[in-house]
Amino acid sequence: MGIPRGPVRGLAALLAAVAVPLAVCALLLPVRGSLSQTNAVLILMLVVAAVAALGNRGAAIITALSAAVWFVFFFTTPFASFTYIDNADDIITAGLLLVVGLAVSHLARHYNRERAIATMLQRSLLPRALPDTSAVHAACRYVPAGAEVGGDWFDVIPLPGFRTALVIGDVVGHGLGAAVTMGRLRTAVRNFSTLDLPPDELLARLDDVVLHMDAEAAGTGAEGAVVSTCLYAIYDPVSRSCAMAKAGHFPPAIVRPDGRVELLDLPAGPPLGIGGLRFEAVERQLPKDTQLVLYTDGLIEDPDRDIGTGLALLCDALSGAGTDPERTCETLLKAVLPARPIDDVAVLIARTRAFPRDHVAEWDIPASPEAVAALRMEVSAKLAEWNLGEATFTTELILSELVTNAIRYGDPPVHLRLLREASLVTEVSDGSSTSPHLRYAAAMDEGGRGIFLVSQFAERWGTRFTPRGKTVWAEQPVPTVPHDAPVLVPVG
C-alpha cells in the first residue's frame, strides 16, 4: 500500500488521511445549506489530489475512502445512520467521488514516479565532480525546472597533451525521454573525445548520432524528432589557445582578468539533428586567468524579458564577479536567473591556466635518421635537468620509434615536444596525415614492432590530426621527484 515504514509514522499517516477530509467537511458545515453537492465533491477531490501529489499511494487511497465516507455523512444523510440513504443519487455521487479519488491517486503516483526516475537518471548521468586539470579550474551549477526535469548537460574532459575539453548542451523537451537523450549524447561526446577530434568535426559526428536516433524513433513509431544544441571547446594551456564550435547554442562569454566581458561571436551552426549543414570552429587566444562561461538558454530566456536584456544582465553580472569560478556561478545565478525558470539551467565556468614554459622542451628535427642519436643526447640532458633521469631509457626508446617513423613515413617538418607535469608526454609532429597503427609482428618479421613497443612502455598513446598534419603522442608516468624540484602549481 505504500504506508510509511515504522509504526509511529504509519499510524500518523493513517490518522492524517482520515482526519484531513473530516476537517475539511467540518469547515464546510456552516455553508452546507448553500453549497451544492458538486462543489463539495470538487473540494474533496482537491484534497485527495493534494495528498496524492505527495507520492504516497497508501495515504492517498485512505484519503479517498475517508473523503467518500465523510461526504455521505455530512452532505447526504447528515447526523443520520450510514445505512439509511433515501436517494440513489447520493450513492452514485459518493461512488464517483471514491473512483475519481482513486484515479487521481494513481495518476499522481505515476507522474511522481516518472519524475523521480527522470531526476535520478539525469543526476546519475551528469558529472558528480569536475576534474581539476592542468588547463582549467572549473565550477558548475545545475538548476532544474519547477515542473519537469529537462535535458541540460555539461562535462569537463581531460585530453592528451594536458588540454581540456569543455562541453555544454540542451536537449529540447522535458521528462524521462529528454533525460535519456541527454545521457546518450553525453556518452557520445565522451567517446568521440577519445579520438581527439577538433570541435567542428566532433559536432558533425554528434549530429550524425542525433540523426540515427531520429531514424530509430521513426522506425518504432515514436513521435517527435530529437533536437539539441551544443557547444564544444578545447583549451590548450601550452599555447593558451581555445578552439570552439557551436550547434545552435547561445554564444559563450569570456571574462578577462581585468574584468572585461565579451560575448564571442562564433559562426552560427545549426542545432543537432538538422543534418546537411556544416559546423565551423574558431580559435581564440585566452590569457591566463580568463574565465570561459558556458550556459544554457534557461538562464537567459524569460517570458518577462527579451533575450537581449538577459544577455545584458549576464555581461553586467560577469563584469564584477571576480576570478573565482565558484563565486562567479553564484553571482550569475543571483543576478540573471529568472524568478520562475521555465526550463532547466546549466552553467559551466572554467578559469584558464598557463603551462609553465620551463616545463616544455621543443626540437625541430632534420629529415635524416642520423639526427636521432644527437636528439637522444639532448633529451637525456633535459630529463636530467628536470630531475627525471629514471625516465631516460623509456623516453629515449619512445622518441626514437616515433621520430624514426615520422622521418621515414611522414613529411617534413618533423617536430619533437616534451611536456612535463604529473606525467611526461612525448609528442612528435610531421606534415603527413598518415596515422601509425599497432601491429603484432610475427617471430620472423624484421619490422613492425615500433608502435607495439611504444604501447608497452607508455601508459597510453595516440594520434591527433592537425591542419598541418598529425601529432603522435605517448604519455608515461614520471618517477617521484625531490621536494626541491620545480613542480606545476595551480594558478590562483
Side-chain angles (χ1 to χ4, degrees):
M1 290 286 290
I3 293 295
R5 295 181 179 179
V8 177
R9 296 180 62 184
L11 181 60
L14 177 62
L15 293 177
V18 174
V20 169
L22 173 61
V24 172
C25 290
L27 292 174
L28 297 177
L29 192 59
V31 294
R32 180 174 58 86
S34 60
L35 191 67
S36 66
Q37 289 188 357
T38 302
N39 290 334
V41 168
L42 290 176
I43 293 173
L44 291 173
M45 284 173 56
L46 290 177
V47 174
V48 175
V51 175
L54 299 177
N56 190 296
R57 184 185 182 189
I61 292 176
I62 295 175
T63 304
L65 291 171
S66 175
V69 170
W70 294 124
F71 169 77
V72 171
F73 181 79
F74 282 99
F75 294 98
T76 61
T77 57
F79 314 111
S81 170
F82 280 87
T83 60
Y84 178 74
I85 302 178
D86 59 356
N87 191 340
D89 292 340
D90 296 342
I91 302 176
I92 295 174
T93 303
L96 288 176
L97 173 61
L98 177 60
V99 171
V100 172
L102 295 176
V104 170
S105 170
H106 175 75
L107 293 176
R109 179 174 177 266
H110 178 75
Y111 169 79
N112 287 329
R113 181 180 181 183
E114 180 176 332
R115 189 175 189 276
I117 292 174
T119 302
M120 180 179 64
L121 176 64
Q122 185 183 50
R123 290 179 178 176
S124 66
L125 293 175
L126 289 174
R128 298 185 179 182
L130 299 182
D132 194 22
T133 68
S134 304
V136 299
H137 171 60
C140 64
R141 292 293 186 276
Y142 172 73
V143 181
E148 292 184 283
V149 296
D152 291 19
W153 54 283
F154 54 87
D155 211 346
V156 176
I157 308 172
L159 297 178
F162 304 112
R163 297 166 303 130
T164 297
L166 305 168
V167 58
I168 193 167
D170 183 9
V171 177
V172 176
H174 295 87
L176 186 59
V180 171
T181 302
M182 174 269 291
R184 296 178 66 180
L185 293 183
R186 179 171 178 254
T187 301
V189 170
R190 277 271 174 176
N191 292 336
F192 290 146
S193 69
T194 61
L195 302 177
D196 215 343
L197 300 172
D200 53 340
E201 292 187 26
L202 186 140
L203 290 181
R205 298 202 181 194
L206 195 61
D207 187 51
D208 291 338
V209 170
V210 174
L211 292 176
H212 285 305
M213 292 170 62
D214 285 341
E216 291 177 0
T220 58
E223 297 182 358
V226 176
V227 179
S228 176
T229 66
C230 185
L231 192 152
Y232 189 81
I234 298 177
Y235 176 70
D236 186 345
V238 180
S239 63
R240 304 181 189 179
S241 63
C242 186
M244 295 166 281
K246 69 175 183 177
H249 206 81
F250 272 86
I254 59 172
V255 186
R256 300 188 181 276
D258 59 4
R260 289 184 294 122
V261 180
E262 177 186 359
L263 291 175
L264 298 181
D265 186 18
L266 302 183
L272 301 173
I274 302 299
L277 301 175
R278 64 188 297 266
F279 303 96
E280 185 177 349
V282 297
E283 190 169 309
R284 294 289 296 270
Q285 294 295 123
L286 300 182
K288 181 182 66 175
D289 288 335
T290 298
Q291 291 189 94
L292 183 62
V293 182
L294 312 181
Y295 51 93
T296 56
D297 56 0
L299 181 67
I300 302 300
E301 294 181 346
D302 186 359
D304 297 330
R305 69 187 184 208
D306 56 35
I307 294 179
T309 302
L311 291 175
L313 289 174
L314 174 77
C315 294
D316 291 341
L318 292 175
S319 62
T323 59
D324 179 38
E326 290 286 346
R327 182 178 299 177
T328 303
C329 285
E330 294 296 331
T331 302
L332 203 58
L333 293 182
K334 290 180 181 179
V336 187
L337 184 67
R340 295 181 178 179
I342 59 175
D343 197 2
D344 287 18
V345 176
V347 176
L348 177 62
I349 300 178
R351 188 184 69 213
T352 62
R353 290 169 169 163
F355 206 85
R357 296 308 305 173
D358 58 352
H359 287 195
V360 181
E362 299 182 82
W363 293 268
D364 290 321
I365 306 171
S368 172
E370 291 76 14
V372 178
L375 179 64
R376 284 198 296 262
M377 296 180 61
E378 295 182 27
V379 169
S380 297
K382 176 56 69 174
L383 293 178
E385 178 185 335
W386 284 347
N387 296 313
L388 298 178
E390 297 181 19
T392 300
F393 173 78
T394 303
T395 306
E396 286 185 351
L397 185 147
I398 290 174
L399 72 89
S400 296
E401 297 295 338
L402 296 185
V403 171
T404 301
N405 280 347
I407 293 175
R408 288 183 177 178
Y409 308 112
D411 297 326
V414 180
H415 187 78
L416 169 66
R417 185 171 74 169
L418 296 181
L419 303 175
R420 172 221 166 174
E421 202 248 5
S423 58
L424 181 64
V425 176
T426 304
E427 296 181 344
V428 177
S429 305
D430 69 83
S432 170
S433 59
T434 303
S435 174
H437 62 279
L438 182 63
R439 291 176 54 192
Y440 296 93
M444 301 303 294
D445 290 347
E446 296 183 1
R449 295 181 176 85
I451 296 299
F452 175 76
L453 290 175
V454 171
S455 68
Q456 294 300 303
F457 282 93
E459 194 171 56
R460 56 178 184 155
W461 73 280
T463 302
R464 178 170 69 251
F465 294 97
T466 66
R468 294 174 294 277
K470 70 175 181 298
T471 297
V472 184
W473 57 270
E475 182 177 337
Q476 55 179 313
V478 297
T480 305
V481 299
H483 292 293
D484 57 350
V487 294
L488 178 66
V489 296
V491 176

